[in-house]
Amino acid sequence: MEIKYSVCPHDCPDTCALKVEIEDGKIVKVAGDPSHPVTKGVICEKVRAYPERIYGNRILYPMLRTGKKGSGRFGRISWDSAVNEIAMRWLKLIDKYGYESIMPYSYGGTEGIINKSSMDRRLFNKIGATSLDRTICSAAGSLGYQLAYGESKGVNPLDSVNSKLIIFWGINALETNMHQAVLADAARKNGAKIIAIDVHRNKTAKWADDFYMLLPGSDGALALGIAHIILRDNLENKAFLEKYSFGFDEFCKKAAEYPPDKVADITGLSKERIEYLAKLYAETKQSFLRIGNGLQHHKNGGINTWLISLLPALTGAWSDKGGGALKSNSGYFPLNEQALKRPDLMKNASRTVNMVQLGKVLCELDPPIMSLYVYNSNPAVVAPNQNYVIKGLAREDLFTVVHEQTMTDTAKWADIILPATTSFEHADLYVSYWHTFIQWADPVIPTIGEAKPNIEVFKLIAGALGFNDECFLDTEEDIARQALDIPYWKERGITFERLKKERFIKIDTGDYPFKFDKLNTLSGKIEFKSRKVSAYGLSEIPQYNPIKDCIFNGGNENGVSLPKPDFPLIFVSPPNHFFLNSSFAGVTSLKAKAIEPFLEINPEDAEARGIKDGDLVRVENGRGGLSIKAKVVNSVLPGVIVSAGLWWKDDYVNGSGVNALTPDDLSDIGGGATFFSSQVEVKKI
Ligand SMILES: Nc1nc2c(c(=O)[nH]1)N[C@H]1C(S)=C(S)[C@@H](COP(=O)(O)OP(=O)(O)OC[C@H]3O[C@@H](n4cnc5c(=O)[nH]c(N)nc54)[C@H](O)[C@@H]3O)O[C@H]1N2
Ligand SMILES: Nc1nc2c(c(=O)[nH]1)N[C@H]1C(S)=C(S)[C@@H](COP(=O)(O)OP(=O)(O)OC[C@H]3O[C@@H](n4cnc5c(=O)[nH]c(N)nc54)[C@H](O)[C@@H]3O)O[C@H]1N2
Ligand code: SF4
Ligand SMILES: [Mo]
């Protein structure tokens, strides 16, 4: 038996270092690498099931559609004919419809920098294809946090063991960032209190010491309410604010409008609980906010994240080790984007479309998209407004190429399917958006079937299109060297050669987390007021806005949300413990553990509709419908229903997944997704 090392490629904050056991060239076990200082040999059950994912149901060779579009019938072809067909079709389409009739669609199938965003960008830039704004995950919240601090940097999670109060705000860390939960447990042993703020009693809420269950999208009002109490009671850190804040006086006026009784009305929390939380937060110096992606998947998610991010500035929590906030730490990993993506190859600025609106893009754009190239993503399952996405994918005149490891719901709509390697079969460079280690992984097994890594395919297509720029010959190692070729890595002595030898290297986080008097904001300070939001037609002082446009028909004069009568329930569809978005939802053992899709509904809402535990119900709105088994539970508030995704479509009773119900409206700022701002009605079937 051989032991080799790798890195988990999935879109998960933890970016675990892996130890792989290999027998006769086959992976028999995937475990954690105990020598990694943060992930310490512990990994989730999804990735422990990887051998099943690598060897089961893989796409083994290129295939051409032989049946009707969407029928799932394909015949084997060679790589040569697949690549030539793509190049030939693209040249014809470009001739007839222009460069922008070609469009890539990708997201986080692999987080390896090389196979995620290097050769692909070079190719599509060179073509002049329609550009994709990759907003589906965290665009709103990232911008919200950056409005305050200018960059995506925050507390180093290893420091959170020193925190005395840890608040998991809109993050189900026990399932989605498990090593942060491990570190919080260590802090708890040192006397820390753990609080969860969420819209349903998930695993993290059950494990926390205290849980605040609020109404979806009301977090901004809660943050303003906490600020109100802190300011009312003179608990703010005046010295810190004086030195490092911008626009604070105007913010104070805004917070004055949010007394506890009003915030109680908006959030569904009691006045007393809000008072308690605010005082505990203000009085615990080393407080750590772990801000998740759940709360920002709403119409008002960007500004709500900004409001929450300002709280540690109010108390000066940043001054102590383990104090502050963490939304994403991707800012600790600047890379040479110019070298990676080569924007200079683009002759003319191309149009950009938002990935959240794929249905609209495919069905409405003029001039139209005539070819879609999908890799690292499964939009038929993960994108909002699913029925519209499918309508787009079903277009007879759309030439769709899907590069995949497995036969996903999206691949079924392809004209050409190309087989993709897994991260165990290709090399890549990994950064994290949570911990501060950069990592490299070489392949640990030979490729399965005729699978090829993303970059190889883009190189082949570039060749077939006649592009002879040298960058289309680069290897993984060339690209890794180029990515690190900026002063940041040189100053830290981090080179590709070192990385290849050491596998992971902790980066020196410099002026950690920021030089507070030289922030990358317009004022150089922590911004309680930002001119950047005027571009979105919003007030420069963060406001709480009810999620009115897609769920609510406005709000009453106090800003209290009023549900629209026809679709009175808010439908939240967070990710599944056993899957990674839609990845792993095809792995039999994990599906068996996840059992089946189900809907959590409060007894009050269930009774009003004659629904009993275990009944099959129909969830509907104008966009689509979902038939699903109901669980009548107290873990959700009246007015809110929850169903963990992202099962493949055939696992639902009527073949429609959770995203049949979700809106493709964009968030207040950043053009983010608003999955959880979905309004529905439920009926017993
Ligand atoms: N096991 C597992 N782990 C994963 C993933 C997975 O699919 N499975 N996906 C990965 C990816 S891509 C991401 S982006 C992260 C996402 O992981 P998280 O950052 O944890 O985000 P979500 O799980 O989307 O939502 C977190 C919680 O927010 C709650 N929520 C919804 N609306 C609101 C609201 O208005 N306010 C508040 N306070 N809470 C709200 C949801 O109920 C949910 O419990 O996880 C990553 N890790
Ligand atoms: N309702 C609802 N919808 C959601 C969410 C939610 O919470 N609720 N979460 C949203 C979020 S936060 C995110 S990030 C998105 C995620 O959406 P996606 O990024 O689409 O994530 P996955 O579902 O994991 O699909 C990734 C696909 O890439 C493939 N893949 C993996 N590695 C490679 C590779 O090296 N090459 C190629 N060519 N393919 C590869 C995998 O097999 C998989 O099918 O989903 C979003 N959708
Ligand atoms: S999915 Fe997340 S927790 Fe699981 S192995 Fe990968 S990085 Fe670690
Ligand atoms: Mo995500």
Side-chain angles (χ1 to χ4, degrees):
M1 194 187 65
E2 249 185 307
I3 303 276
K4 289 192 176 172
Y5 294 90
S6 190
V7 176
C8 177
H10 288 286
D11 188 357
C12 167
D14 300 50
T15 331
C16 293
L18 304 178
K19 185 176 128 189
V20 185
E21 293 180 14
I22 298 165
E23 267 175 30
D24 302 326
K26 269 190 105 171
I27 294 182
V28 291
K29 186 175 171 188
V30 177
D33 174 356
S35 67
H36 191 281
V38 187
T39 60
K40 289 188 172 160
V42 179
I43 61 166
C44 65
E45 57 193 306
K46 309 181 286 295
V47 171
R48 287 204 303 269
Y50 232 93
E52 221 181 309
R53 188 165 186 275
I54 303 172
Y55 301 109
N57 297 324
R58 284 285 293 277
I59 294 169
L60 296 172
Y61 35 75
M63 291 187 286
L64 184 70
R65 175 163 70 87
T66 52
K68 245 180 66 203
K69 195 134 191 165
S71 63
R73 289 216 303 279
F74 298 92
R76 180 174 184 170
I77 53 172
S78 69
W79 266 107
D80 270 354
S81 53
V83 168
N84 288 334
E85 174 78 9
I86 295 168
M88 192 198 70
R89 297 281 297 257
W90 281 5
L91 290 171
K92 276 194 191 152
L93 288 173
I94 289 168
D95 205 34
K96 192 157 171 205
Y97 299 94
Y99 302 108
E100 292 177 329
S101 63
I102 318 283
M103 176 180 137
Y105 194 92
S106 74
Y107 201 68
T110 175
E111 286 289 305
I113 293 297
I114 294 164
N115 286 293
K116 182 183 186 181
S117 56
S118 67
M119 202 56 82
D120 55 330
R121 309 299 159 99
R122 294 174 184 182
L123 176 69
F124 292 111
N125 283 338
K126 178 81 186 178
I127 291 174
T130 292
S131 300
L132 188 70
D133 200 4
R134 292 173 171 81
T135 49
I136 204 163
C137 176
S138 61
S142 295
L143 180 55
Y145 184 88
Q146 287 169 11
L147 286 175
Y149 301 105
E151 278 174 282
S152 283
K153 281 181 182 178
V155 171
N156 180 339
L158 286 176
D159 284 344
S160 63
V161 295
N162 302 306
S163 312
K164 293 294 174 236
L165 172 66
I166 302 184
I167 302 184
F168 288 96
W169 199 322
I171 179 167
N172 184 10
L174 230 67
E175 298 185 342
T176 62
N177 183 196
M178 59 183 275
H179 295 88
Q180 182 62 71
V182 171
L183 291 165
D185 260 331
R188 176 142 67 180
K189 288 208 182 81
N190 296 333
K193 189 172 171 127
I194 298 173
I195 290 181
I197 303 178
D198 208 288
V199 300
H200 78 126
R201 194 181 297 276
N202 57 20
K203 276 209 178 126
T204 306
K206 288 176 192 151
W207 154 89
D209 300 311
D210 198 1
F211 172 46
Y212 286 76
M213 184 147 70
L214 44 54
L215 287 166
S218 68
D219 307 78
L222 179 58
L224 280 163
I226 292 172
H228 178 102
I229 295 164
I230 290 174
L231 295 166
R232 182 197 67 196
D233 296 354
N234 280 312
L235 296 171
E236 77 274 23
N237 187 328
K238 294 186 183 64
F240 186 88
L241 288 162
E242 185 123 324
K243 243 164 113 183
Y244 302 128
S245 74
F246 172 78
F248 179 62
D249 292 344
E250 283 166 83
F251 174 82
C252 291
K253 285 186 206 132
K254 179 54 42 190
E257 295 168 19
Y258 285 82
D261 48 353
K262 175 170 161 184
V263 175
D265 267 358
I266 299 173
T267 58
L269 297 166
S270 76
K271 215 161 69 172
E272 293 72 27
R273 294 273 289 153
I274 297 165
E275 289 274 356
Y276 172 80
L277 179 62
K279 287 197 185 116
L280 180 70
Y281 185 67
E283 284 163 1
T284 313
K285 279 189 76 187
Q286 283 153 291
S287 61
F288 170 49
L289 296 185
R290 177 70 177 99
I291 305 170
N293 275 340
L295 82 110
Q296 53 100 61
H297 274 156
H298 281 289
K299 188 80 183 166
N300 58 8
I303 301 291
N304 280 358
T305 308
W306 183 16
L307 282 163
I308 295 167
S309 307
L310 290 169
L311 295 176
L314 211 54
T315 64
W318 291 107
S319 319
D320 292 287
K321 207 167 182 166
L326 161 51
K327 163 69 179 64
S328 158
N329 274 341
S330 56
Y332 291 119
F333 300 89
L335 297 169
N336 187 343
E337 301 292 334
Q338 166 71 33
L340 279 170
K341 302 179 181 161
R342 297 293 306 272
D344 57 297
L345 292 173
M346 206 188 289
K347 282 170 283 202
N348 304 303
S350 72
R351 64 180 170 187
T352 300
V353 300
N354 192 314
M355 71 182 301
V356 167
Q357 300 186 314
L358 181 61
K360 269 197 187 104
V361 166
L362 293 178
C363 298
E364 295 176 23
L365 211 60
D366 184 28
I369 297 296
M370 297 305 295
S371 180
L372 183 72
Y373 184 103
V374 182
Y375 58 108
N376 288 346
S377 186
N378 183 13
V381 174
V382 306
N385 203 357
Q386 187 172 76
N387 292 333
Y388 209 19
V389 171
I390 301 296
K391 191 171 170 199
L393 292 174
R395 260 177 52 196
E396 282 296 339
D397 62 344
L398 181 73
F399 173 58
T400 303
V401 181
V402 177
H403 186 205
E404 249 303 348
Q405 298 163 341
T406 182
M407 190 55 102
T408 59
D409 288 334
T410 308
K412 287 181 188 151
W413 290 100
D415 295 286
I416 290 188
I417 300 182
L418 304 172
T421 42
T422 67
S423 57
F424 294 112
E425 299 150 61
H426 60 236
D428 219 318
L429 174 71
Y430 295 92
V431 299
S432 172
Y433 50 91
W434 176 66
H435 65 57
T436 58
F437 285 75
I438 183 161
Q439 310 186 76
W440 173 260
D442 278 309
V444 299
I445 49 166
T447 52
I448 307 286
E450 294 182 4
K452 287 188 193 294
N454 295 353
I455 81 154
E456 284 310 316
V457 184
F458 293 120
K459 283 159 75 169
L460 288 173
I461 298 175
L465 288 171
F467 298 156
N468 47 21
D469 308 71
E470 263 180 43
C471 67
F472 292 116
L473 300 173
D474 285 341
T475 63
E476 283 89 342
E477 301 200 352
D478 295 332
I479 298 173
R481 281 191 196 92
Q482 292 157 6
L484 300 177
D485 188 17
I486 46 170
Y488 185 87
W489 301 101
K490 289 185 185 147
E491 283 159 14
R492 286 163 176 76
I494 297 179
T495 58
F496 171 71
E497 280 63 35
R498 241 192 95 191
L499 201 52
K500 188 163 163 91
K501 203 161 97 207
E502 297 173 41
R503 297 202 314 273
F504 49 79
I505 303 177
K506 183 176 194 301
I507 55 180
D508 166 5
T509 42
D511 297 309
Y512 165 70
F514 311 106
K515 240 191 174 118
F516 279 102
D517 55 352
K518 270 203 188 121
L519 290 178
N520 197 15
T521 54
L522 292 177
S523 62
K525 297 191 170 184
I526 303 173
E527 297 209 332
F528 284 79
K529 172 182 180 177
S530 170
R531 263 190 285 134
K532 285 190 186 157
V533 289
S534 339
Y536 296 93
L538 297 170
S539 143
E540 294 184 3
I541 302 293
Q543 313 262 338
Y544 166 68
N545 283 312
I547 32 183
K548 55 188 174 197
D549 293 344
C550 45
I551 307 186
F552 299 109
N553 60 355
N556 69 14
E557 59 284 6
N558 293 324
V560 176
S561 303
L562 298 172
K564 232 180 174 172
D566 358 351
F567 299 119
L569 302 171
I570 302 163
F571 175 61
V572 176
S573 52
N576 200 301
H577 172 77
F578 297 98
F579 311 145
L580 200 298
N581 302 318
S582 75
S583 296
F584 299 95
V587 173
T588 312
S589 69
L590 292 169
K591 276 174 73 172
K593 286 184 184 172
I595 304 174
E596 62 183 339
F598 60 86
L599 181 81
E600 295 173 61
I601 182 167
N602 182 281
E604 197 179 291
D605 291 324
E607 202 189 343
R609 291 164 179 80
I611 294 168
K612 290 198 192 58
D613 195 59
D615 280 350
L616 193 63
V617 298
R618 179 89 182 147
V619 190
E620 269 177 349
N621 62 17
R623 279 175 220 103
L626 168 70
S627 304
I628 193 166
K629 196 188 262 185
K631 273 193 189 170
V632 181
V633 285
N634 276 311
S635 55
V636 289
L637 287 170
V640 183
I641 55 173
V642 175
S643 179
L646 284 162
W647 296 76
W648 292 1
K649 279 151 54 74
D650 285 350
D651 290 313
Y652 290 92
V653 177
N654 63 349
S656 251
V658 288
N659 275 322
L661 298 159
T662 56
D664 57 6
D665 300 281
L666 303 183
S667 57
D668 48 1
I669 54 171
T674 57
F675 292 107
F676 303 160
S677 287
S678 167
Q679 190 179 348
V680 298
E681 179 53 292
V682 180
K683 283 187 227 124
K684 186 176 164 156
I685 294 182

